[in-house]
Amino acid sequence: MSQSVWSREVRLPGFEKLHGTVRTDVLIIGGGLCGVLCAYFLKLAGVDYLLVEADTIGSGVTKNTTAKITSQHRLIYDRLLRTKGREAAAAYLWANEKAIAEYRRLAAQIDCDFEDRDSFVYTLSDDAKIEAEVTAVNALGIPAEFIEHVPLPLDARGAIRFPHQAQFHPLKFLAGIAAGLNIREHTFIRGLAPHRAWSDDAEISADKIIVTTHFPFLNKHGSYFLKLYQERSYVIALEHAADIGGMYVDEAAEGMSFRNYGELLLVGGGGHRTGKRGGGYEELREFAAACYPNAAERYHWAAQDCMSLDGIPYIGHYCARTPELFVASGFQKWGMTGSMAAARLLCDQVLGIQNEWSGVFSPSRSMITPQLLVNGWEATKNLLTPTTKRCPHLGCALKWNAAEHTWDCPCHGSRFEEDGTLIDNPATGDANIK
Ligand code: FES
């Protein structure tokens, strides 16, 4: 059965379901790491808040991450410098570096297997890309360096090393910060209006609302159905493999990633747009059999990530016309630092505090990118595909995922059990599978 190593080991605190009519200053919808961090910081600031979660906290993508805490998000800084300028590139870097420092500070009081590790991006093809990234990162103030050899069974042509990054156990950390917060679980928000949200059993009024539901589920504003798509990627946890002493990822989007957790080596990869085909577990297992023949697979699981159009998360006002509605989404594969940066930024915005990093993450920034055309093409193609099995989000044709026995939507990544039961949003209800 697919289950992450994190889920096996932790009992998270439980919270009651919400009933009746409730008022709060700030409502947070979504109890993943980002939402819970928002609640944690709002409580520290003395703000009246309530967090509601459809299932249980950490039951979405948080439990399926590889839990690398790093500002090294593949090779992003050379591209950011060239396309967005120095100010935006520096804002992105230092928002994420600050996030690492926050984790380090909080983890000092939480038993969450926090470990300092260097982080590496390697290339199998072109070391000039790595050298350009080293130059860019150094110019932004981080002492990154070019490394010729990596301790992986791959023909790498070099890597960039970021010092003083980290890894941890995400659910142990979540358990530590969630205890004592004002959270209600099993409270599925069915609708959202200005200053108001409702579930089947409760109605909540709030001055401000923060949406941290992985994929923002309100279609009326922000055009997130055009600005986001989702990717699945896969992880196998191997024992008797290797201690690699750091965190590694291929610069190529279809490449693999590596980190240790205790005696285990976590190998990630096989990714693809949700609803499409990709290497999946088979690709990882073939790699493990060839390169770590004495290793045994202990766990396997899949992750589901929201991808933005320009590689930068959407954090801030849901759209320019919703001053009291906020959002955080599109963390790509880097949800640990992304969640922390988002929680700090959103808390500042809710409190009316100027935040120097708000511009680079603004969901209202210009979005004319090639990926916008890809997303539009996928939506058009799958809306026009004739089949009775349709996604309840916006009506695209669902695709059968034979590896995981689920129905997946290529448009925005909603997923459903074999019988149509909802697994992943942005759909907010079950699919009718005839
Ligand atoms: Fe949007 Fe399926 S997720 S149509």
Side-chain angles (χ1 to χ4, degrees):
M1 178 185 149
S2 166
Q3 188 176 31
S4 75
V5 62
W6 323 122
S7 311
R8 286 277 177 106
E9 293 190 340
V10 170
R11 277 184 77 85
L12 288 159
F15 301 90
E16 299 285 310
K17 183 175 181 174
L18 187 69
H19 294 273
T21 303
V22 179
R23 210 212 85 78
T24 183
D25 287 351
V26 182
L27 172 66
I28 304 156
I29 305 173
L33 185 57
C34 183
V36 174
L37 281 168
C38 286
Y40 179 86
F41 289 123
L42 287 174
K43 182 181 181 184
L44 276 188
V47 174
D48 177 52
Y49 71 92
L50 167 66
L51 186 156
V52 291
E53 159 58 38
D55 190 351
T56 55
I57 60 166
S59 60
V61 292
T62 304
K63 72 180 189 305
N64 291 333
T65 173
T66 52
K68 298 170 180 163
I69 303 172
T70 177
S71 60
Q72 187 189 53
H73 299 173
R74 285 204 157 109
L75 303 183
I76 192 171
Y77 294 104
D78 179 51
R79 177 171 66 80
L80 285 182
L81 271 176
R82 285 186 282 105
T83 59
K84 305 243 177 198
R86 184 184 179 86
E87 197 178 326
Y92 186 89
L93 174 63
W94 289 105
N96 282 288
E97 280 290 309
K98 179 79 186 303
I100 300 169
E102 285 282 10
Y103 277 115
R104 189 170 280 115
R105 187 178 66 78
L106 292 173
Q109 297 137 37
I110 299 172
D111 178 14
C112 61
D113 304 326
F114 185 95
E115 299 171 291
D116 262 49
R117 287 284 183 275
D118 290 349
S119 182
F120 301 80
V121 179
Y122 62 86
T123 182
L124 302 180
S125 63
D126 182 5
D127 59 3
K129 286 185 198 168
I130 300 289
E131 282 168 358
E133 186 75 353
V134 171
T135 302
V137 174
N138 289 344
L140 295 170
I142 294 283
E145 60 180 341
F146 185 91
I147 302 289
E148 283 189 24
H149 302 290
V150 295
L152 300 171
L154 295 165
D155 188 19
R157 304 270 176 105
I160 175 171
R161 181 178 77 92
F162 274 36
H164 213 38
Q165 312 288 293
Q167 59 189 24
F168 72 161
H169 189 307
L171 296 188
K172 287 185 181 178
F173 178 82
L174 190 72
I177 59 165
L181 295 180
N182 187 23
I183 294 174
R184 295 292 179 276
E185 295 182 325
H186 311 292
T187 302
F188 196 122
I189 295 300
R190 301 274 175 204
L192 200 53
H195 304 294
R196 206 163 63 85
W198 57 94
S199 67
D200 290 340
D201 302 293
E203 167 118 10
I204 310 149
S205 58
D207 295 337
K208 295 177 180 172
I209 299 176
I210 299 174
V211 177
T212 54
T213 53
H214 184 57
F215 198 120
F217 65 96
L218 182 66
N219 295 321
K220 187 175 162 193
H221 299 294
S223 302
Y224 291 96
F225 52 85
L226 279 176
K227 295 196 306 196
L228 286 170
Y229 71 101
Q230 299 200 63
E231 278 193 2
R232 285 192 81 62
S233 56
Y234 303 83
V235 184
I236 57 175
L238 304 172
E239 61 181 359
H240 311 305
D243 182 351
I244 57 173
M247 306 177 293
Y248 294 82
V249 67
D250 193 329
E251 52 90 10
E254 65 279 9
M256 286 188 287
S257 76
F258 303 83
R259 68 158 278 193
N260 288 109
Y261 173 61
E263 301 294 307
L264 298 173
L265 177 65
L266 312 188
V267 182
H272 56 86
R273 184 176 179 126
T274 301
K276 302 272 199 183
R277 289 180 198 280
Y281 294 120
E282 284 317 303
E283 180 182 321
L284 300 178
R285 286 169 182 153
E286 280 173 21
F287 170 81
C291 298
Y292 299 111
N294 298 321
E297 183 179 311
R298 286 277 308 280
Y299 304 94
H300 67 274
W301 69 92
Q304 170 100 338
D305 294 301
C306 278
M307 312 299 284
S308 69
L309 293 176
D310 60 0
I312 297 175
Y314 304 126
I315 306 167
H317 293 287
Y318 204 96
C319 80
R321 295 185 310 283
T322 58
E324 312 303 345
L325 183 62
F326 301 84
V327 71
S329 187
F331 296 135
Q332 313 283 114
K333 313 279 181 183
W334 312 105
M336 300 298 98
T337 44
S339 290
M340 181 64 83
R344 298 307 325 216
L345 175 50
L346 290 176
C347 288
D348 279 355
Q349 291 189 326
V350 160
L351 294 167
I353 298 170
Q354 196 74 24
N355 185 302
E356 60 187 309
W357 298 315
S358 60
V360 69
F361 296 107
S362 169
S364 301
R365 64 187 183 269
S366 171
M367 284 300 158
I368 310 301
T369 66
Q371 187 63 45
L372 183 63
L373 295 178
V374 175
N375 290 358
W377 163 246
E378 284 294 339
T380 306
K381 187 176 63 171
N382 289 292
L383 278 168
L384 296 176
T385 301
T387 173
T388 56
K389 296 172 179 64
R390 308 216 73 94
C391 177
H393 177 227
L394 294 176
C396 286
L398 293 173
K399 304 281 175 173
W400 177 242
N401 176 341
E404 299 183 90
H405 292 268
T406 56
W407 291 100
D408 298 353
C409 181
C411 286
H412 317 107
S414 292
R415 299 180 61 248
F416 306 87
E417 304 277 10
E418 199 163 355
D419 66 357
T421 304
L422 178 67
I423 305 171
D424 289 315
N425 73 349
T428 54
D430 299 338
N432 184 10
I433 302 296
K434 298 179 192 126

